[in-house]
PDB file of all heavy atoms in Angstrom:
ATOM      1  N   ARG A   1     -16.276  22.603 -24.091  1.00 85.00           N
ATOM      2  CA  ARG A   1     -17.356  21.609 -24.219  1.00 85.00           C
ATOM      3  C   ARG A   1     -17.104  20.631 -25.361  1.00 85.00           C
ATOM      4  O   ARG A   1     -17.606  19.506 -25.343  1.00 85.00           O
ATOM      5  CB  ARG A   1     -18.704  22.309 -24.450  1.00 85.00           C
ATOM      6  CG  ARG A   1     -19.296  22.956 -23.226  1.00 85.00           C
ATOM      7  CD  ARG A   1     -20.772  23.273 -23.433  1.00 85.00           C
ATOM      8  NE  ARG A   1     -20.988  24.118 -24.604  1.00 85.00           N
ATOM      9  CZ  ARG A   1     -20.958  25.444 -24.585  1.00 85.00           C
ATOM     10  NH1 ARG A   1     -20.687  26.071 -23.445  1.00 85.00           N
ATOM     11  NH2 ARG A   1     -21.185  26.142 -25.691  1.00 85.00           N
ATOM     12  N   HIS A   2     -16.334  21.051 -26.355  1.00 83.00           N
ATOM     13  CA  HIS A   2     -16.117  20.206 -27.520  1.00 83.00           C
ATOM     14  C   HIS A   2     -14.834  19.382 -27.442  1.00 83.00           C
ATOM     15  O   HIS A   2     -14.444  18.752 -28.422  1.00 83.00           O
ATOM     16  CB  HIS A   2     -16.109  21.060 -28.792  1.00 83.00           C
ATOM     17  CG  HIS A   2     -17.465  21.588 -29.150  1.00 83.00           C
ATOM     18  ND1 HIS A   2     -17.851  22.889 -28.931  1.00 83.00           N
ATOM     19  CD2 HIS A   2     -18.546  20.974 -29.692  1.00 83.00           C
ATOM     20  CE1 HIS A   2     -19.092  23.064 -29.337  1.00 83.00           C
ATOM     21  NE2 HIS A   2     -19.538  21.912 -29.808  1.00 83.00           N
ATOM     22  N   LEU A   3     -14.176  19.399 -26.315  1.00 91.00           N
ATOM     23  CA  LEU A   3     -13.022  18.527 -26.130  1.00 91.00           C
ATOM     24  C   LEU A   3     -13.466  17.069 -26.089  1.00 91.00           C
ATOM     25  O   LEU A   3     -14.600  16.759 -25.696  1.00 91.00           O
ATOM     26  CB  LEU A   3     -12.291  18.867 -24.828  1.00 91.00           C
ATOM     27  CG  LEU A   3     -11.513  20.187 -24.787  1.00 91.00           C
ATOM     28  CD1 LEU A   3     -11.043  20.471 -23.360  1.00 91.00           C
ATOM     29  CD2 LEU A   3     -10.322  20.158 -25.732  1.00 91.00           C
ATOM     30  N   ASP A   4     -12.588  16.178 -26.482  1.00 93.00           N
ATOM     31  CA  ASP A   4     -12.870  14.744 -26.383  1.00 93.00           C
ATOM     32  C   ASP A   4     -12.423  14.284 -24.998  1.00 93.00           C
ATOM     33  O   ASP A   4     -11.272  13.892 -24.795  1.00 93.00           O
ATOM     34  CB  ASP A   4     -12.120  13.980 -27.476  1.00 93.00           C
ATOM     35  CG  ASP A   4     -12.541  12.521 -27.555  1.00 93.00           C
ATOM     36  OD1 ASP A   4     -13.049  12.000 -26.550  1.00 93.00           O
ATOM     37  OD2 ASP A   4     -12.356  11.908 -28.622  1.00 93.00           O
ATOM     38  N   PHE A   5     -13.339  14.345 -24.046  1.00 95.00           N
ATOM     39  CA  PHE A   5     -12.994  14.036 -22.661  1.00 95.00           C
ATOM     40  C   PHE A   5     -12.702  12.551 -22.467  1.00 95.00           C
ATOM     41  O   PHE A   5     -11.941  12.181 -21.578  1.00 95.00           O
ATOM     42  CB  PHE A   5     -14.116  14.488 -21.724  1.00 95.00           C
ATOM     43  CG  PHE A   5     -14.220  15.981 -21.587  1.00 95.00           C
ATOM     44  CD1 PHE A   5     -15.188  16.686 -22.274  1.00 95.00           C
ATOM     45  CD2 PHE A   5     -13.311  16.682 -20.799  1.00 95.00           C
ATOM     46  CE1 PHE A   5     -15.273  18.070 -22.159  1.00 95.00           C
ATOM     47  CE2 PHE A   5     -13.385  18.060 -20.679  1.00 95.00           C
ATOM     48  CZ  PHE A   5     -14.370  18.758 -21.360  1.00 95.00           C
ATOM     49  N   LEU A   6     -13.289  11.703 -23.296  1.00 96.00           N
ATOM     50  CA  LEU A   6     -13.000  10.274 -23.187  1.00 96.00           C
ATOM     51  C   LEU A   6     -11.553   9.994 -23.580  1.00 96.00           C
ATOM     52  O   LEU A   6     -10.862   9.190 -22.937  1.00 96.00           O
ATOM     53  CB  LEU A   6     -13.958   9.481 -24.072  1.00 96.00           C
ATOM     54  CG  LEU A   6     -13.889   7.956 -23.957  1.00 96.00           C
ATOM     55  CD1 LEU A   6     -14.068   7.508 -22.511  1.00 96.00           C
ATOM     56  CD2 LEU A   6     -14.949   7.301 -24.848  1.00 96.00           C
ATOM     57  N   LEU A   7     -11.072  10.670 -24.616  1.00 97.00           N
ATOM     58  CA  LEU A   7      -9.672  10.532 -25.018  1.00 97.00           C
ATOM     59  C   LEU A   7      -8.752  11.035 -23.913  1.00 97.00           C
ATOM     60  O   LEU A   7      -7.756  10.379 -23.563  1.00 97.00           O
ATOM     61  CB  LEU A   7      -9.412  11.309 -26.309  1.00 97.00           C
ATOM     62  CG  LEU A   7      -7.951  11.398 -26.778  1.00 97.00           C
ATOM     63  CD1 LEU A   7      -7.380  10.016 -27.041  1.00 97.00           C
ATOM     64  CD2 LEU A   7      -7.838  12.269 -28.028  1.00 97.00           C
ATOM     65  N   LEU A   8      -9.073  12.184 -23.338  1.00 97.00           N
ATOM     66  CA  LEU A   8      -8.247  12.728 -22.251  1.00 97.00           C
ATOM     67  C   LEU A   8      -8.242  11.799 -21.044  1.00 97.00           C
ATOM     68  O   LEU A   8      -7.199  11.607 -20.403  1.00 97.00           O
ATOM     69  CB  LEU A   8      -8.763  14.119 -21.855  1.00 97.00           C
ATOM     70  CG  LEU A   8      -8.593  15.235 -22.890  1.00 97.00           C
ATOM     71  CD1 LEU A   8      -9.222  16.523 -22.379  1.00 97.00           C
ATOM     72  CD2 LEU A   8      -7.110  15.459 -23.199  1.00 97.00           C
ATOM     73  N   ALA A   9      -9.399  11.217 -20.736  1.00 97.00           N
ATOM     74  CA  ALA A   9      -9.476  10.303 -19.596  1.00 97.00           C
ATOM     75  C   ALA A   9      -8.633   9.056 -19.835  1.00 97.00           C
ATOM     76  O   ALA A   9      -7.943   8.562 -18.929  1.00 97.00           O
ATOM     77  CB  ALA A   9     -10.933   9.916 -19.342  1.00 97.00           C
ATOM     78  N   ALA A  10      -8.683   8.537 -21.064  1.00 97.00           N
ATOM     79  CA  ALA A  10      -7.886   7.355 -21.391  1.00 97.00           C
ATOM     80  C   ALA A  10      -6.395   7.650 -21.290  1.00 97.00           C
ATOM     81  O   ALA A  10      -5.618   6.833 -20.776  1.00 97.00           O
ATOM     82  CB  ALA A  10      -8.239   6.861 -22.790  1.00 97.00           C
ATOM     83  N   VAL A  11      -5.979   8.826 -21.780  1.00 98.00           N
ATOM     84  CA  VAL A  11      -4.570   9.213 -21.703  1.00 98.00           C
ATOM     85  C   VAL A  11      -4.142   9.387 -20.245  1.00 98.00           C
ATOM     86  O   VAL A  11      -3.067   8.921 -19.847  1.00 98.00           O
ATOM     87  CB  VAL A  11      -4.328  10.515 -22.499  1.00 98.00           C
ATOM     88  CG1 VAL A  11      -2.926  11.059 -22.226  1.00 98.00           C
ATOM     89  CG2 VAL A  11      -4.520  10.261 -23.989  1.00 98.00           C
ATOM     90  N   ALA A  12      -4.982  10.040 -19.448  1.00 97.00           N
ATOM     91  CA  ALA A  12      -4.660  10.239 -18.030  1.00 97.00           C
ATOM     92  C   ALA A  12      -4.529   8.898 -17.307  1.00 97.00           C
ATOM     93  O   ALA A  12      -3.607   8.696 -16.497  1.00 97.00           O
ATOM     94  CB  ALA A  12      -5.732  11.099 -17.364  1.00 97.00           C
ATOM     95  N   ALA A  13      -5.439   7.975 -17.603  1.00 97.00           N
ATOM     96  CA  ALA A  13      -5.381   6.655 -16.972  1.00 97.00           C
ATOM     97  C   ALA A  13      -4.130   5.900 -17.393  1.00 97.00           C
ATOM     98  O   ALA A  13      -3.468   5.251 -16.570  1.00 97.00           O
ATOM     99  CB  ALA A  13      -6.632   5.855 -17.332  1.00 97.00           C
ATOM    100  N   LEU A  14      -3.789   5.996 -18.675  1.00 97.00           N
ATOM    101  CA  LEU A  14      -2.611   5.286 -19.172  1.00 97.00           C
ATOM    102  C   LEU A  14      -1.326   5.855 -18.581  1.00 97.00           C
ATOM    103  O   LEU A  14      -0.426   5.102 -18.189  1.00 97.00           O
ATOM    104  CB  LEU A  14      -2.572   5.374 -20.698  1.00 97.00           C
ATOM    105  CG  LEU A  14      -1.471   4.574 -21.403  1.00 97.00           C
ATOM    106  CD1 LEU A  14      -1.593   3.090 -21.081  1.00 97.00           C
ATOM    107  CD2 LEU A  14      -1.543   4.791 -22.912  1.00 97.00           C
ATOM    108  N   VAL A  15      -1.231   7.179 -18.514  1.00 97.00           N
ATOM    109  CA  VAL A  15      -0.044   7.806 -17.931  1.00 97.00           C
ATOM    110  C   VAL A  15       0.085   7.435 -16.450  1.00 97.00           C
ATOM    111  O   VAL A  15       1.181   7.114 -15.968  1.00 97.00           O
ATOM    112  CB  VAL A  15      -0.099   9.332 -18.117  1.00 97.00           C
ATOM    113  CG1 VAL A  15       0.989  10.015 -17.289  1.00 97.00           C
ATOM    114  CG2 VAL A  15       0.059   9.700 -19.581  1.00 97.00           C
ATOM    115  N   SER A  16      -1.019   7.465 -15.721  1.00 97.00           N
ATOM    116  CA  SER A  16      -0.992   7.103 -14.302  1.00 97.00           C
ATOM    117  C   SER A  16      -0.577   5.647 -14.115  1.00 97.00           C
ATOM    118  O   SER A  16       0.239   5.327 -13.239  1.00 97.00           O
ATOM    119  CB  SER A  16      -2.377   7.338 -13.685  1.00 97.00           C
ATOM    120  OG  SER A  16      -2.763   8.689 -13.795  1.00 97.00           O
ATOM    121  N   TYR A  17      -1.136   4.790 -14.946  1.00 96.00           N
ATOM    122  CA  TYR A  17      -0.772   3.365 -14.878  1.00 96.00           C
ATOM    123  C   TYR A  17       0.703   3.180 -15.219  1.00 96.00           C
ATOM    124  O   TYR A  17       1.412   2.394 -14.589  1.00 96.00           O
ATOM    125  CB  TYR A  17      -1.654   2.597 -15.857  1.00 96.00           C
ATOM    126  CG  TYR A  17      -1.634   1.095 -15.681  1.00 96.00           C
ATOM    127  CD1 TYR A  17      -1.468   0.514 -14.431  1.00 96.00           C
ATOM    128  CD2 TYR A  17      -1.792   0.255 -16.779  1.00 96.00           C
ATOM    129  CE1 TYR A  17      -1.473  -0.863 -14.276  1.00 96.00           C
ATOM    130  CE2 TYR A  17      -1.804  -1.128 -16.639  1.00 96.00           C
ATOM    131  CZ  TYR A  17      -1.641  -1.676 -15.383  1.00 96.00           C
ATOM    132  OH  TYR A  17      -1.638  -3.044 -15.234  1.00 96.00           O
ATOM    133  N   GLY A  18       1.178   3.937 -16.212  1.00 95.00           N
ATOM    134  CA  GLY A  18       2.581   3.846 -16.588  1.00 95.00           C
ATOM    135  C   GLY A  18       3.508   4.278 -15.461  1.00 95.00           C
ATOM    136  O   GLY A  18       4.556   3.657 -15.234  1.00 95.00           O
ATOM    137  N   LEU A  19       3.144   5.336 -14.758  1.00 96.00           N
ATOM    138  CA  LEU A  19       3.964   5.787 -13.620  1.00 96.00           C
ATOM    139  C   LEU A  19       3.975   4.737 -12.516  1.00 96.00           C
ATOM    140  O   LEU A  19       5.013   4.503 -11.876  1.00 96.00           O
ATOM    141  CB  LEU A  19       3.416   7.114 -13.084  1.00 96.00           C
ATOM    142  CG  LEU A  19       3.638   8.342 -13.966  1.00 96.00           C
ATOM    143  CD1 LEU A  19       2.886   9.535 -13.401  1.00 96.00           C
ATOM    144  CD2 LEU A  19       5.125   8.664 -14.085  1.00 96.00           C
ATOM    145  N   LEU A  20       2.831   4.098 -12.301  1.00 95.00           N
ATOM    146  CA  LEU A  20       2.753   3.036 -11.297  1.00 95.00           C
ATOM    147  C   LEU A  20       3.653   1.868 -11.677  1.00 95.00           C
ATOM    148  O   LEU A  20       4.401   1.330 -10.840  1.00 95.00           O
ATOM    149  CB  LEU A  20       1.302   2.571 -11.162  1.00 95.00           C
ATOM    150  CG  LEU A  20       1.027   1.455 -10.143  1.00 95.00           C
ATOM    151  CD1 LEU A  20       1.320   1.948  -8.729  1.00 95.00           C
ATOM    152  CD2 LEU A  20      -0.414   0.972 -10.240  1.00 95.00           C
ATOM    153  N   VAL A  21       3.606   1.487 -12.936  1.00 94.00           N
ATOM    154  CA  VAL A  21       4.446   0.381 -13.427  1.00 94.00           C
ATOM    155  C   VAL A  21       5.917   0.759 -13.333  1.00 94.00           C
ATOM    156  O   VAL A  21       6.750  -0.029 -12.861  1.00 94.00           O
ATOM    157  CB  VAL A  21       4.069   0.032 -14.876  1.00 94.00           C
ATOM    158  CG1 VAL A  21       5.077  -0.936 -15.480  1.00 94.00           C
ATOM    159  CG2 VAL A  21       2.665  -0.551 -14.940  1.00 94.00           C
ATOM    160  N   LEU A  22       6.258   1.960 -13.771  1.00 94.00           N
ATOM    161  CA  LEU A  22       7.651   2.399 -13.754  1.00 94.00           C
ATOM    162  C   LEU A  22       8.197   2.445 -12.337  1.00 94.00           C
ATOM    163  O   LEU A  22       9.349   2.071 -12.089  1.00 94.00           O
ATOM    164  CB  LEU A  22       7.759   3.783 -14.406  1.00 94.00           C
ATOM    165  CG  LEU A  22       9.169   4.290 -14.687  1.00 94.00           C
ATOM    166  CD1 LEU A  22       9.862   3.412 -15.723  1.00 94.00           C
ATOM    167  CD2 LEU A  22       9.131   5.737 -15.178  1.00 94.00           C
ATOM    168  N   SER A  23       7.380   2.883 -11.389  1.00 93.00           N
ATOM    169  CA  SER A  23       7.811   2.921  -9.994  1.00 93.00           C
ATOM    170  C   SER A  23       8.154   1.530  -9.483  1.00 93.00           C
ATOM    171  O   SER A  23       9.137   1.338  -8.751  1.00 93.00           O
ATOM    172  CB  SER A  23       6.699   3.533  -9.134  1.00 93.00           C
ATOM    173  OG  SER A  23       7.037   3.505  -7.766  1.00 93.00           O
ATOM    174  N   ALA A  24       7.355   0.543  -9.899  1.00 92.00           N
ATOM    175  CA  ALA A  24       7.574  -0.824  -9.429  1.00 92.00           C
ATOM    176  C   ALA A  24       8.793  -1.471 -10.074  1.00 92.00           C
ATOM    177  O   ALA A  24       9.564  -2.167  -9.408  1.00 92.00           O
ATOM    178  CB  ALA A  24       6.330  -1.668  -9.695  1.00 92.00           C
ATOM    179  N   VAL A  25       9.013  -1.232 -11.363  1.00 91.00           N
ATOM    180  CA  VAL A  25      10.083  -1.943 -12.063  1.00 91.00           C
ATOM    181  C   VAL A  25      11.446  -1.296 -11.886  1.00 91.00           C
ATOM    182  O   VAL A  25      12.467  -1.909 -12.204  1.00 91.00           O
ATOM    183  CB  VAL A  25       9.772  -2.078 -13.576  1.00 91.00           C
ATOM    184  CG1 VAL A  25       8.425  -2.763 -13.784  1.00 91.00           C
ATOM    185  CG2 VAL A  25       9.812  -0.743 -14.276  1.00 91.00           C
ATOM    186  N   THR A  26      11.494  -0.067 -11.388  1.00 91.00           N
ATOM    187  CA  THR A  26      12.788   0.629 -11.242  1.00 91.00           C
ATOM    188  C   THR A  26      13.157   0.912  -9.793  1.00 91.00           C
ATOM    189  O   THR A  26      14.131   1.609  -9.539  1.00 91.00           O
ATOM    190  CB  THR A  26      12.769   1.976 -12.008  1.00 91.00           C
ATOM    191  OG1 THR A  26      11.760   2.832 -11.451  1.00 91.00           O
ATOM    192  CG2 THR A  26      12.491   1.759 -13.483  1.00 91.00           C
ATOM    193  N   ARG A  27      12.420   0.370  -8.855  1.00 89.00           N
ATOM    194  CA  ARG A  27      12.639   0.721  -7.452  1.00 89.00           C
ATOM    195  C   ARG A  27      14.012   0.303  -6.945  1.00 89.00           C
ATOM    196  O   ARG A  27      14.536   0.894  -5.994  1.00 89.00           O
ATOM    197  CB  ARG A  27      11.558   0.085  -6.585  1.00 89.00           C
ATOM    198  CG  ARG A  27      11.533  -1.443  -6.622  1.00 89.00           C
ATOM    199  CD  ARG A  27      10.539  -2.013  -5.652  1.00 89.00           C
ATOM    200  NE  ARG A  27      10.684  -3.462  -5.532  1.00 89.00           N
ATOM    201  CZ  ARG A  27      10.161  -4.176  -4.540  1.00 89.00           C
ATOM    202  NH1 ARG A  27       9.447  -3.581  -3.604  1.00 89.00           N
ATOM    203  NH2 ARG A  27      10.353  -5.480  -4.502  1.00 89.00           N
ATOM    204  N   ASP A  28      14.614  -0.716  -7.572  1.00 86.00           N
ATOM    205  CA  ASP A  28      15.936  -1.190  -7.129  1.00 86.00           C
ATOM    206  C   ASP A  28      17.052  -0.796  -8.097  1.00 86.00           C
ATOM    207  O   ASP A  28      18.197  -1.220  -7.917  1.00 86.00           O
ATOM    208  CB  ASP A  28      15.923  -2.722  -6.984  1.00 86.00           C
ATOM    209  CG  ASP A  28      14.920  -3.193  -5.937  1.00 86.00           C
ATOM    210  OD1 ASP A  28      14.799  -2.525  -4.894  1.00 86.00           O
ATOM    211  OD2 ASP A  28      14.244  -4.219  -6.177  1.00 86.00           O
ATOM    212  N   ASP A  29      16.741   0.001  -9.100  1.00 87.00           N
ATOM    213  CA  ASP A  29      17.736   0.312 -10.120  1.00 87.00           C
ATOM    214  C   ASP A  29      18.791   1.303  -9.650  1.00 87.00           C
ATOM    215  O   ASP A  29      19.947   1.258 -10.094  1.00 87.00           O
ATOM    216  CB  ASP A  29      17.045   0.868 -11.375  1.00 87.00           C
ATOM    217  CG  ASP A  29      16.316  -0.207 -12.166  1.00 87.00           C
ATOM    218  OD1 ASP A  29      16.311  -1.359 -11.716  1.00 87.00           O
ATOM    219  OD2 ASP A  29      15.767   0.109 -13.232  1.00 87.00           O
TER     220      ASP A  29
END
């Protein structure tokens, strides 16, 4: 209950966005 869920949500969103970006920029590498 005392976890910072907003911090975890922000990290999860950033990691997911990063994977999406990485998939797009490296698809032809």
Side-chain angles (χ1 to χ4, degrees):
R1 285 196 304 272
H2 289 103
L3 289 171
D4 189 337
F5 289 101
L6 186 55
L7 173 60
L8 292 177
V11 170
L14 185 59
V15 169
S16 300
Y17 194 32
L19 288 172
L20 180 65
V21 170
L22 190 65
S23 176
V25 304
T26 62
R27 62 175 190 164
D28 298 321
D29 286 2

